[in-house]
Amino acid sequence: MARRVPLSSPIDAIRCLEEDGGVILTGFSSVVDVQKRALQGVARDTVRCFLLFGRSITAREKWLQQPDLWRIIRHFLRTVSVPFNDPGTTTLETDPNLSDAATLDIGPGVKAQDLHRDDFIWQHSHGGGDQKTYQVGRDISLGLLVPGVDTSAENGATMFVPGSHLWDHSRRPRPEEAIPAVMSVGEAFMFLGSTAHGGGANTTKRSRAVHGFFYCRSYLRPEENQFLWWKKAEIDTWSVAAQKQAGYIRDTPFLGHCDEKSPLDLFRANATIGEERFFG
């Protein structure tokens, strides 16, 4: 069974992620806040609700702004480097960006996913043979799953293979190596992009909803392109931290700039550029 660590103990969570590739975070959310995101009705097959970051104030401004959560995410995905032309005097640091956010409601009878690594989206592979210990910098992405209902092996809890984040790209997981991330409402499962995992089969008569949030390194293209969806008036209601996570604020030194400014700064400063030009 997947190990459990309180979100309030980020150092312990980091240790579990480095050792296992995944960990269940207890005390992540109140049951009431999770119920605010509940989907109504019983799903047939798999129902997907994308653009969750902008659609859910609870997720965007509460769940994803917890300092202990960001301490864990930054440990694995913050990019730090010394510029080639200025060695030893300047350090550049960029935070990870939101890659995708969606609710997945897995209906009765849905079959299990194939075990996979999420970083395949960026055609990332892990060579050099199986690793004995984890090295920070190996991963370019990670995922966070917040269950809308209690999850079990029967209703399709996410299956993951402990230790698979250390495997060479040529090694393939066997189904019997995977264990279910069984959770209660209020917990969350975090896993590295290099960890083999997949949604389990739902053999019950009710759907199983889970809210997924995925992050990638600052220099990667996010999986979900949200930029053409949200209007400026909507983005203005987001916190600065949320705007930065979604890529609307420039990162060090010019990453994500628009005419050498943050996109939102440009919108606000130049009244002659209408929303229609950017948002259609």
Side-chain angles (χ1 to χ4, degrees):
M1 184 173 291
R3 287 195 279 179
R4 280 177 160 75
V5 171
L7 176 59
S8 59
S9 300
I11 294 176
D12 291 335
I14 288 170
R15 175 176 53 81
C16 287
L17 282 161
E18 290 186 346
E19 293 175 356
D20 298 346
V23 65
I24 293 175
L25 302 172
T26 61
F28 178 83
S29 171
S30 69
V31 174
V32 172
D33 281 343
V34 173
Q35 290 173 341
K36 292 178 183 178
R37 296 304 317 148
L39 294 177
Q40 301 299 318
V42 177
R44 296 180 179 179
D45 300 322
T46 299
V47 176
R48 293 175 171 85
C49 175
F50 293 104
L51 300 166
L52 184 59
F53 190 78
R55 285 173 166 161
S56 172
I57 297 175
T58 298
R60 182 182 68 247
E61 306 294 353
K62 197 168 186 179
W63 290 350
L64 301 179
Q65 304 308 329
Q66 298 181 80
D68 287 330
L69 178 70
W70 267 94
R71 184 173 179 180
I72 301 170
I73 294 174
R74 284 192 178 107
H75 174 81
F76 290 99
L77 299 184
R78 171 172 267 192
T79 302
V80 181
S81 65
V82 176
F84 175 77
N85 63 331
D86 192 14
T89 61
T90 302
T91 299
L92 299 181
E93 298 183 6
T94 55
D95 282 333
N97 283 338
L98 178 76
S99 176
D100 190 16
T103 295
L104 303 177
D105 207 23
I106 310 301
V110 171
K111 297 181 179 180
Q113 274 186 313
D114 290 336
L115 295 172
H116 61 280
R117 282 171 158 166
D118 276 355
D119 57 15
F120 82 94
I121 295 168
W122 297 278
Q123 303 177 48
H124 191 61
S125 62
H126 302 269
D130 292 357
Q131 305 298 304
K132 293 182 179 180
T133 58
Y134 185 82
Q135 298 295 322
V136 174
R138 177 177 173 85
D139 276 280
I140 61 172
S141 66
L142 60 74
L144 179 74
L145 302 179
V146 183
V149 298
D150 292 346
T151 64
S152 65
E154 292 73 29
N155 72 358
T158 299
M159 306 294 292
F160 91 107
V161 181
S164 58
H165 64 306
L166 301 176
W167 292 0
D168 184 84
H169 187 72
S170 61
R171 183 173 174 181
R172 297 292 182 266
R174 301 188 304 274
E176 61 270 21
E177 294 178 291
I179 62 174
V182 175
M183 289 185 282
S184 298
V185 172
E187 298 180 325
F189 177 58
M190 179 177 280
F191 59 97
L192 302 175
S194 56
T195 300
H197 70 286
N202 186 353
T203 60
T204 70
K205 296 182 179 181
R206 296 194 63 82
S207 62
R208 186 270 292 165
V210 63
H211 312 296
F213 307 92
F214 304 89
Y215 286 86
C216 64
R217 287 190 179 271
S218 58
Y219 53 80
L220 294 173
R221 181 179 184 178
E223 178 181 4
E224 183 180 27
N225 190 336
Q226 302 191 64
F227 301 113
L228 299 180
W229 184 264
W230 305 112
K231 293 185 179 296
K232 174 181 171 293
E234 294 171 309
I235 302 168
D236 275 337
T237 68
W238 301 3
S239 66
V240 173
Q243 291 171 348
K244 184 174 182 180
Q245 287 176 35
Y248 289 100
I249 295 179
R250 188 185 75 183
D251 213 330
T252 306
F254 305 111
L255 199 58
H257 81 86
C258 186
D259 195 23
E260 295 189 339
K261 303 178 181 66
S262 290
L264 283 185
D265 291 338
L266 183 66
F267 299 156
R268 293 163 180 160
N270 194 342
T272 64
I273 301 180
E275 277 194 358
E276 295 80 8
R277 176 171 174 180
F278 293 95
F279 299 104

